[in-house]
Structure formats: C-alpha cells, structure tokens
Amino acid sequence: MWSLVEEDGAETALARVLRGDVPDKALRAAAIAKAANLDPRRLAELTLRRAERLGARIVVPSDDEWPDRVGALATLTLEGSQRINHDVRPPLCFWVRGDWPLGETLERSVAVVGARAASSYGIHATTEIAYGLAEQNWTVVSGGAFGIDAAAHRAALAAGGRTVAVLACGVDRPYPMGNTAMFEQIAETGLLISEWPPGSEPYKHRFLIRNRVIAAATAGTVLVEAAARSGAIQTMGRVLALGRPAMVVPGPITSAMSVGCHELLRSRPDATLVTGLADVLEAVGRVGEYQAAVPRGPEHRRDTLDEESALILESVPRRGVITPEDLAARAGLSLRLVLRRLSLLELTGLIERRGTGVALARRRR
Amino acid sequence: MWSLVEEDGAETALARVLRGDVPDKALRAAAIAKAANLDPRRLAELTLRRAERLGARIVVPSDDEWPDRVGALATLTLEGSQRINHDVRPPLCFWVRGDWPLGETLERSVAVVGARAASSYGIHATTEIAYGLAEQNWTVVSGGAFGIDAAAHRAALAAGGRTVAVLACGVDRPYPMGNTAMFEQIAETGLLISEWPPGSEPYKHRFLIRNRVIAAATAGTVLVEAAARSGAIQTMGRVLALGRPAMVVPGPITSAMSVGCHELLRSRPDATLVTGLADVLEAVGRVGEYQAAVPRGPEHRRDTLDEESALILESVPRRGVITPEDLAARAGLSLRLVLRRLSLLELTGLIERRGTGVALARRRR
C-alpha cells in the first residue's frame, strides 16, 4: 500500500485497490475481503469522527508536523527477512493524541526500550537515563509496555519533560490496561501515537511492525534489559539496519534479563555499550556537542612514569630525606641518571627537594 | 639486555656489559652502578644456590620447557608508549617453583585477571569461569593479588586443575603475605613463576612489566572486574597488542568495579564481551572445538511467522473451533490466503484441524 500511495497519491491508490487494479495478489485479495464488510470511504469517515470525539488527529506525510525521519524506512533492508515490504515501509499516517507538533517533538528524541519483566536494576538504569534525557531537553520515546517502557515514560514525566508512547493499537484503547493512568498523563503532557486507527486491537504481530517506528523516528535507541530473543532485540536490529546509534546497557552476567543485551553486544560490533546518560548523549549528540569523560583513576601521574623514574620513586623512603647518591645506590642506577630523573619527578609534584636531599611530596601521603 | 643476549648469547652479552661495550647509555650506567656493589657472576652463583635450597629452578629460552608463546613479545609494539624497549621484550629467564614443565603447562592456558577490591559479583564470575576452565583441562594463569587473582587460583585449585601464579617478585617471597597459604598450595600442585630472581622485592613498576608475561604466555585473557585505569586494563592493552583474545566480563553500570571493563569494551572494538565459560572457550578454543550456544527464547516459532500467518494465528479464538471462512472475515484476509497459511501453521504445530474447523494446538495452552 505504501508503494502504491507513493506512486499515485492516496486517492488514486484507494481507487485502484478498490477496483482490483494492483499487481500484488495478496493485497488485492485482502482489499476485497475487507471491502466486503464495509465501504472503505464510509469506514474512514466514521474513524475520523471517532478520533475527533476523543481529541485525536491524523497526521499524514504532507502535513507540516510529519516526522521526516521515518522516511528512512522507505529503503530499509533487513538481512535474512522474507517480510521486507510487508512490515518495514513507512507508516501511511499517524493518529496522534497530545498538543505538541509531532515532527518537532521527535526531532530531538531518543528511544528507551527493554523488557517487560524488568529487574530493579533495569528500572534504575532506565530511570537515570530517561530522566537525564528529559532534563537535557530530549524527548523520550518508548512503547507502552510494563517494565522498561513504562519506567522510561514515568522518568521523563517526573523530570517535567516530553515523552512519546508509540502504540501497537488505537490511541483510544492504550494497552496494557494497567498503564491507563500513565497513558492519560502522556496524552496530556506528551504524545500518544499509533499508525493504526482508533479502535484497533493490540494484535501481537503489530508490536514488531510498530517497533520499526520507534527505531526510525528517533535519533538513537537505548536497550536497557532484554531476555534472549525478545522483541526489543528485533527493534535493535531495525535501529542497526537504519544506521542509527544502537545503544545497549550491560548488566550482571548472572541476570537473565541482560542475556539479550550481552548477546547483541557480542553479535553486533556496531552496537554500542553505554553505561549512562553521558554515553547516550555522546552517541546521539552532534559531534562535539557532548563528549563522555574518560574515567580516570587517581594515580595516572605515576602510571605514566618511565621505568627508571618509577624505580627511583619506589626507592625514596616513605618517611625522611635521602641523598641522590644513596638513592642511586638503592635503585642500582647511575648518579647522573638519578639526578636527571629527579628534576622531572620534582616537576610532576611527586617528590620535593629538602636541603641536600629529596623526599616524597607531602600531599602524596 | 634482551636484544644484546639475542645478538651475542648470554655469556658474551654479560662480558660486553661488564666492560661497558654497549651502545645504550642508560644500560651502561645501570650496569656499572650495579656491578659496583657485587660481582655479577658471584651474585648469579649465590642466587642459583638460594633457588636450589628452596626447590626452585631457572628456565631459559634454550630449555625444552621454555614457553614459546612469550616469544611474541620480541616484536610487541605498544601505541603511544615511550617505554617499548624497556618493559615489553621477552623475559631472559623464569624462576620456577612447582613440578610441571613450564611450557607444556602454559600451552593450554587462559589468564583470568581483575581488581584487588573485587565485589562478590566479580568473585562469583571469576570462580565460575576459572573452575570451568580447570575442569576442561585448561591451565588458569593470574597474578598473586587479592580479589580476582586469588579467586581465579582458588577456583582452579578447588577443581583439581592446574594454576600458575606469575609474580612481580622472587618466588621465595610471594606478595601479598596474606595469600601465603595459597601460594604454597600453588607451588605444590601448580607453578609459581617470576622473571626476577629469588629475593626480589615486589616494586610497584614490576607489576606492569610482569603483566606482559600474563598476556603473552596464555591463549587469551579474561578481565573480570576493573576500576577505571587499573593495572588490569594495561594488561588487556598488551593482550590486544599481541592480537590474543581479550575477553571482558560486563557488570552492572552502577558498580565502580565494572567501570574499567565497560570503558575497555567501549574504546576497543577488538575486545570481546564474555558472559561465561562457554564464551571464553569459544574465543580461545580451536575453530569448531567449542561453539557458544546462541540463547533462544521459547517463542521463536511464532517470531518467524510472516505477517499474514501471525494475523491469522491471532484471530483463532483461545478456546474452541473456528471455520476458515469465519477466520478469513476476522482477519480481514481472503479465504484462499487463509487456507494456504493454515496448512503451514498446521505444519509448525501451532494450530490443529478439528472437524471442518481449526483450533489452537493443545500443547500451546
């Protein structure tokens, strides 16, 4: 359908489908079966009225607020998949609840996804990252599931930021029901969106189809926890196929909820291990905008010493003063070499001169 | 010294150094300073006698039991280092305590290294991996420090396997003292080795020099826990420079003892994340000897369904039977397509025929 609409525009495409004038046999059969129940133009009218009643709008590619990034799905190729043209092309439209313009909201966005059966460790990591993203004025994007998805939305809401829930059902019947209060809050301060019209059921296969939107609409995706072969892993496959930053939070090797994360890091060299907000911002920020600080231990001055300097430093007594001559004998080095190295060690602040000898610098102790 | 001995042999090299006939000024000065205290030939004699008294032997490159793998250090180049020729060339000899032939013991060996201030998680991961390696007839190699090093040795000993402690001091004065009982056990059932003669002090700079031996003598090195910029990270730099498998165990991003591990995985794409024994064996085993099983979730049959089949499957009621005609209407697909897909779904065992209709297969519920 997406290819037909691209080719002829929506109206002509609909007319062609209704009169059976399409080459794809499966599409032709499905259209005939669906049209047998209700006239599609009438169905569209009813759906639009239903959307209006619940305060939802439809956004199509020609609208100003269309999120351009999902256009990357037009050329997405998934390795080893037979379903390329069935479930990876861009959506034809989005049904939207919430006041923010869709495109602008997603322009600076990061997806945070993961397991439903998340551990407290996963919830903690998600909260830290999503809260920080929202604080830094990034929109958080996720599905609506329990576990990591809900923790990501809640953290963004708690930070007073924007969050977008991408649903696999109609925006009038968010699934799962247990998150209803959260969905209402998202509709008020963020966006609830879906490519399926109001009233649509959360069929299982729709979650996988929906995942491509999470991957394509955002600047990058963070996977926090995932069991082996979970749906979130498939989302990451789409992120990688789109060439977007695929960020993975590691965890204990003893946790079943990190097995999928570790497997992804092992099998996909283009996936990036992230340990927190700084690493995420580094991956999605414009070059130079963020730069994660390299962790440094307290002893790096000593680590950079050459062998002789290290030997001389080790030969200085812990307390008291030693002459360069005694130091040379202790270290088994020539006096000349010791004197030269002592100047450097003094410059680095590791030793200090006292009278005719040297001692360890006071602040080292 | 190593280059001189390579060139002229040990005896001629010693004679040249003693008469100052070497181009390297620092070496000349150090030799003169050292020889001023005691005649080197006399020192060697005393040291050999001392070794004999404590049941240690010296192993040199011309011996049958010399571990050939350390020869790779002859051409090791460390990026950005000013110390290349000072601390990375092969050892001139090993002082050895223990009955096993050195080379044979190290032939099938894996190093397991990490933080002194290890967490219980790190100790657990180390124990699992080192115990498993020993059970699979691999020699475990490590330093002698508290924390990960000691846990690796203890696990190998507990499994009744062989373990080698590579020391940064003489084999007669293992450091730290707190591990004395463990060192005695290693000397009895494994090997204590050092490139420094008996009586040598555990100077700090020697640990970094020693680490190259751990990297070079083994088939690969596993890093379990490491703070930022720890010594174990430098060992891994040598492992990577030698092109050996550099295996890193991830941990919680909330743990300071995993910061170094994660930083290494982020900065070095040639480092490998490992989650347990199977991954380690896969990395060091000969091709095909081991192959880590890819973790699989329980639902992979459903995950591989095409979109229409998934839709049809979702449209089958949880209980009871449905006719293909009703199924087609429910799924909004043509009857012909539904019939074709039903045959496939039946083959996969997900649905079964009952009378004129179909139902979910009983074992799925």
Side-chain angles (χ1 to χ4, degrees):
Chain A
M1 268 315 295
W2 177 84
S3 302
L4 275 187
V5 172
E6 274 289 290
E7 227 169 85
D8 299 331
E11 277 186 72
T12 308
L14 177 60
R16 280 185 58 184
V17 166
L18 289 182
R19 66 171 187 267
D21 173 22
V22 291
D24 187 296
K25 276 184 194 173
L27 176 59
R28 203 160 60 218
I32 292 167
K34 286 198 179 183
N37 298 327
L38 186 62
D39 171 57
R41 290 188 183 85
R42 175 83 185 126
L43 177 61
E45 214 168 277
L46 289 172
T47 308
L48 278 168
R49 249 188 257 162
R50 182 174 180 168
E52 203 177 343
R53 274 199 304 277
L54 66 101
R57 65 188 183 277
I58 186 169
V59 176
V60 296
S62 57
D63 288 327
D64 281 346
E65 63 170 307
W66 182 255
D68 291 326
R69 237 194 235 114
V70 297
L73 292 167
T75 53
L76 177 59
T77 310
L78 293 176
E79 268 173 50
S81 170
Q82 298 294 317
R83 290 175 288 174
I84 291 172
N85 296 309
H86 289 282
D87 63 6
V88 303
R89 291 291 162 257
L92 293 168
C93 67
F94 282 112
W95 299 86
V96 179
R97 277 180 71 193
D99 293 334
W100 300 97
L102 181 60
E104 192 194 304
T105 304
L106 290 173
E107 178 60 34
R108 206 176 133 87
S109 69
V110 173
V112 181
V113 301
R116 283 189 299 270
S119 73
S120 59
Y121 165 70
I123 300 292
H124 173 82
T126 303
T127 303
E128 292 281 309
I129 290 170
Y131 192 99
L133 282 168
E135 270 194 326
Q136 302 267 342
N137 205 26
W138 284 82
T139 300
V140 171
V141 174
S142 195
F146 294 125
I148 302 298
D149 285 18
H153 292 306
R154 291 206 169 96
L157 292 169
R162 279 189 288 186
T163 194
V164 176
V166 186
L167 304 174
C169 53
V171 292
D172 57 337
R173 43 169 307 165
Y175 173 90
M177 297 269 284
N179 284 339
T180 301
M182 182 188 80
F183 288 125
E184 288 309 311
Q185 212 187 334
I186 293 173
E188 268 169 44
T189 64
L191 295 174
L192 282 186
I193 72 172
S194 174
E195 60 193 288
W196 290 279
S200 299
E201 302 266 349
Y203 289 130
K204 194 184 171 193
H205 70 279
R206 287 186 173 156
F207 288 88
L208 180 55
I209 300 175
R210 181 272 318 261
N211 288 347
R212 83 194 189 297
V213 170
I214 294 178
T218 54
T221 300
V222 181
L223 174 66
V224 180
E225 282 193 318
R229 284 189 61 80
S230 76
I233 297 288
Q234 292 169 317
T235 303
M236 296 307 270
R238 282 148 180 73
V239 174
L240 287 162
L242 288 164
R244 304 273 168 81
M247 299 163 273
V248 183
V249 175
I253 59 173
T254 45
S255 165
M257 296 322 297
S258 288
V259 167
C261 294
H262 295 152
E263 184 54 30
L264 192 67
L265 286 167
R266 278 175 58 76
S267 62
R268 298 295 306 245
D270 41 354
T272 307
L273 184 152
V274 293
T275 64
L277 179 66
D279 293 345
V280 173
L281 291 176
E282 188 190 58
V284 299
R286 281 178 290 279
V287 177
E289 189 182 355
Y290 304 101
Q291 186 121 18
V294 175
R296 296 187 82 84
E299 299 234 321
H300 59 272
R301 277 185 307 171
R302 310 192 87 196
D303 288 347
T304 59
L305 294 180
D306 63 279
E307 187 184 356
E308 285 91 4
S309 300
L311 187 54
I312 291 166
L313 188 64
E314 290 289 339
S315 305
V316 177
R318 286 225 198 151
R319 288 159 189 284
V321 178
I322 187 169
T323 64
E325 289 77 12
D326 287 349
L327 198 50
R330 249 193 198 224
L333 298 171
S334 72
L335 179 58
R336 207 178 137 192
L337 179 67
V338 167
L339 288 171
R340 213 180 314 143
R341 289 291 191 278
L342 279 178
S343 311
L344 293 170
L345 285 169
E346 197 185 6
L347 278 175
T348 62
L350 290 166
I351 65 142
E352 56 191 37
R353 303 212 178 232
R354 299 224 202 119
T356 57
V358 298
L360 293 180
R362 280 199 181 85
R363 61 187 164 118
R364 277 193 62 225
R365 272 179 258 152
Chain B
M1 270 313 296
W2 177 83
S3 302
L4 275 187
V5 173
E6 273 289 290
E7 229 169 84
D8 299 330
E11 278 187 70
T12 308
L14 177 61
R16 279 185 59 183
V17 166
L18 289 181
R19 65 173 186 264
D21 174 24
V22 291
D24 188 295
K25 275 184 194 174
L27 177 60
R28 203 159 60 220
I32 290 166
K34 285 198 179 182
N37 297 326
L38 184 63
D39 172 57
R41 288 188 183 84
R42 175 87 185 121
L43 177 60
E45 214 167 277
L46 289 171
T47 308
L48 277 170
R49 247 188 260 162
R50 184 173 179 166
E52 203 176 342
R53 271 199 306 274
L54 66 100
R57 64 187 184 277
I58 186 169
V59 176
V60 296
S62 57
D63 287 328
D64 281 346
E65 63 170 308
W66 182 254
D68 290 327
R69 237 195 235 113
V70 298
L73 293 166
T75 53
L76 176 60
T77 309
L78 293 175
E79 267 174 50
S81 170
Q82 298 294 316
R83 290 175 289 174
I84 291 172
N85 296 309
H86 289 282
D87 62 8
V88 301
R89 290 292 162 257
L92 293 169
C93 68
F94 283 112
W95 300 86
V96 179
R97 278 181 71 192
D99 292 334
W100 299 97
L102 181 60
E104 191 194 306
T105 304
L106 290 173
E107 179 59 35
R108 207 176 134 86
S109 70
V110 173
V112 181
V113 301
R116 282 189 298 269
S119 74
S120 58
Y121 165 70
I123 299 291
H124 173 82
T126 303
T127 303
E128 291 282 308
I129 291 170
Y131 192 99
L133 283 167
E135 270 193 326
Q136 301 267 342
N137 205 24
W138 284 83
T139 299
V140 171
V141 174
S142 194
F146 294 125
I148 302 299
D149 285 18
H153 292 307
R154 291 206 169 95
L157 291 170
R162 279 190 287 187
T163 195
V164 176
V166 186
L167 303 174
C169 53
V171 292
D172 55 336
R173 43 169 305 165
Y175 173 90
M177 296 269 283
N179 284 341
T180 300
M182 183 188 80
F183 288 125
E184 288 309 312
Q185 212 186 335
I186 293 174
E188 267 167 47
T189 64
L191 295 174
L192 283 185
I193 72 171
S194 175
E195 60 192 289
W196 291 278
S200 299
E201 303 265 348
Y203 288 131
K204 192 182 172 194
H205 70 278
R206 287 185 173 155
F207 288 88
L208 180 55
I209 300 175
R210 180 272 318 261
N211 288 348
R212 84 195 190 294
V213 170
I214 293 178
T218 54
T221 301
V222 182
L223 174 65
V224 181
E225 283 193 317
R229 285 189 62 79
S230 75
I233 297 288
Q234 293 170 318
T235 303
M236 296 306 270
R238 282 149 181 72
V239 174
L240 287 162
L242 288 164
R244 304 272 169 81
M247 298 163 273
V248 183
V249 174
I253 59 171
T254 46
S255 165
M257 296 321 298
S258 288
V259 168
C261 293
H262 295 152
E263 183 55 30
L264 191 67
L265 287 167
R266 278 175 58 75
S267 62
R268 298 295 306 247
D270 40 355
T272 308
L273 185 150
V274 292
T275 64
L277 178 67
D279 294 345
V280 173
L281 291 177
E282 188 190 57
V284 298
R286 280 179 291 277
V287 177
E289 189 183 356
Y290 303 102
Q291 186 121 18
V294 174
R296 297 187 80 85
E299 298 235 323
H300 59 273
R301 277 185 308 171
R302 311 192 85 195
D303 289 347
T304 57
L305 293 182
D306 64 277
E307 186 184 355
E308 285 90 4
S309 300
L311 186 54
I312 292 166
L313 188 63
E314 291 289 337
S315 305
V316 177
R318 286 222 199 154
R319 286 158 191 286
V321 177
I322 188 170
T323 64
E325 290 74 15
D326 287 350
L327 199 50
R330 250 194 197 220
L333 296 171
S334 72
L335 179 60
R336 206 178 136 194
L337 180 67
V338 168
L339 288 171
R340 211 180 315 140
R341 289 291 190 278
L342 280 178
S343 311
L344 292 169
L345 286 168
E346 197 185 4
L347 277 176
T348 61
L350 290 165
I351 65 143
E352 55 191 36
R353 303 211 178 233
R354 297 221 205 122
T356 57
V358 298
L360 293 180
R362 280 198 183 85
R363 60 187 166 121
R364 275 194 62 224
R365 274 180 254 151

